[in-house]
Amino acid sequence: MGRAPCCDKANVKRGPWSPEEDETLRTYLHKHGTIAGNWISLPHKAGLKRCGKSCRLRWLNYLRPNIKHGGFTPEEDNIIYTLYQTLGSRWSVIASQLHGRTDNDVKNYWNTKLKKKVLLHQIPSPSPPLPSPPPPPTFTSNMKAEPVETDSLIHCYGFSVAPTMASSSSVTMENGSSNSISSSLVHWPNEEEDVAVLLAEFGFGSSLNDLLTGYGFSQVN
DNA sequence: AAAAAGCACAACCGCCTATAT
DNA sequence: TATATAGGCGGTTGTGCTTTT
């Protein structure tokens, strides 16, 4: 049995949002907030003939305050390119490092413009090519993290990055052998959200310093 | 001026994950 | 522990605008 659809597609409006619908959604969310109730029931409560997912997307990508559209700066180009090289197409993580940008915006920008710029070498390569990450391990037990504080500043592609907490964990493989995984919460300067995925995903079997060095970071004392 | 092609971006689709029951 | 459900995400498509022929 497949998953039940999130809404009755025959009875919801699709396609571009009208200014009236935008205003209805904006007014409702200003009054009730985005966490009151849930997105699925929101359209009915707000009086919209839309799928809840569509409302969520419209709010997050267009109506939310402080959203920036278009006009990406060269600095933003570099950030996107750098993070794309490191993380791949993890647009939500990349967008979280750019104030006011949405994952959809960054994704569209990459697919329509930035990718071509890179092919035409209009974006300077910021560092030697990154090594291929090892394949992700398969876990058979829960990880136990042991936080290790580190206060070293690290430089990468022109960014100063401070790993606020490194952790090493013991993991048992399917074949019974054990190994360790290093991860770090990386805080981008002037950003509220940490990039926890940067090292955790690829860090299997290496120390934190080995990882950082391997990915083009150089330590600054 | 009209048609075709290209482009930008909003929106949808379906899968995966987290969480509640 | 299993199942159902909502949220979140990345890939893809649709649509309208602009540029080219």
Side-chain angles (χ1 to χ4, degrees):
Chain A
M1 192 180 99
R3 240 193 93 159
C6 66
C7 55
D8 181 2
K9 288 179 180 167
N11 292 313
V12 296
K13 188 183 168 196
R14 299 169 66 185
W17 281 65
S18 69
E20 291 77 22
E21 288 177 308
D22 282 347
E23 192 51 40
T24 301
L25 181 59
R26 192 186 284 114
T27 302
Y28 182 87
L29 290 172
H30 278 160
K31 196 171 174 183
H32 298 92
T34 56
I35 56 171
N38 59 50
W39 287 108
I40 299 301
S41 63
L42 183 147
H44 178 69
K45 291 177 183 171
L48 287 162
K49 287 182 166 33
R50 290 278 181 175
C51 173
K53 277 190 168 189
S54 180
C55 293
R56 175 184 163 271
L57 216 58
R58 184 66 179 169
W59 172 254
L60 292 178
N61 289 335
Y62 199 83
L63 299 176
R64 196 160 45 111
N66 305 319
I67 295 274
K68 276 195 284 183
H69 285 104
F72 280 78
T73 65
E75 288 73 26
E76 288 176 313
D77 285 1
N78 271 319
I79 292 171
I80 294 168
Y81 178 48
T82 299
L83 291 176
Y84 184 85
Q85 281 201 312
T86 309
L87 300 169
S89 58
R90 302 178 73 161
W91 304 117
S92 58
V93 177
I94 295 172
S96 71
Q97 302 309 309
L98 301 165
H99 270 309
R101 301 295 187 184
T102 68
D103 53 353
N104 210 35
D105 241 11
V106 173
K107 178 173 59 182
N108 281 333
Y109 181 60
W110 172 263
N111 284 331
T112 59
K113 293 179 185 171
L114 202 51
K115 194 158 62 178
K116 288 171 196 163
K117 275 193 190 180
V118 172
L119 287 173
L120 295 169
H121 304 290
Q122 290 176 354
I123 303 274
S125 183
S127 73
L130 296 169
S132 300
T138 305
F139 303 117
T140 56
S141 67
N142 292 332
M143 290 167 48
K144 290 180 184 173
E146 296 173 9
V148 179
E149 291 296 331
T150 173
D151 54 8
S152 307
L153 264 185
I154 290 163
H155 253 9
C156 179
Y157 311 145
F159 300 107
S160 293
V161 180
T164 56
M165 187 189 83
S167 62
S168 80
S169 313
S170 180
V171 177
T172 303
M173 304 290 285
E174 279 186 328
N175 64 10
S177 65
S178 63
N179 212 326
S180 64
I181 184 169
S182 297
S183 64
S184 177
L185 289 175
V186 177
H187 185 75
W188 240 250
N190 305 318
E191 297 289 345
E192 290 179 5
E193 295 184 43
D194 294 333
V195 183
V197 294
L198 185 61
L199 302 169
E201 184 167 346
F202 303 138
F204 196 70
S206 306
S207 72
L208 176 62
N209 282 341
D210 289 341
L211 282 168
L212 294 168
T213 305
Y215 281 91
F217 289 76
S218 62
Q219 197 139 347
V220 177
N221 296 314

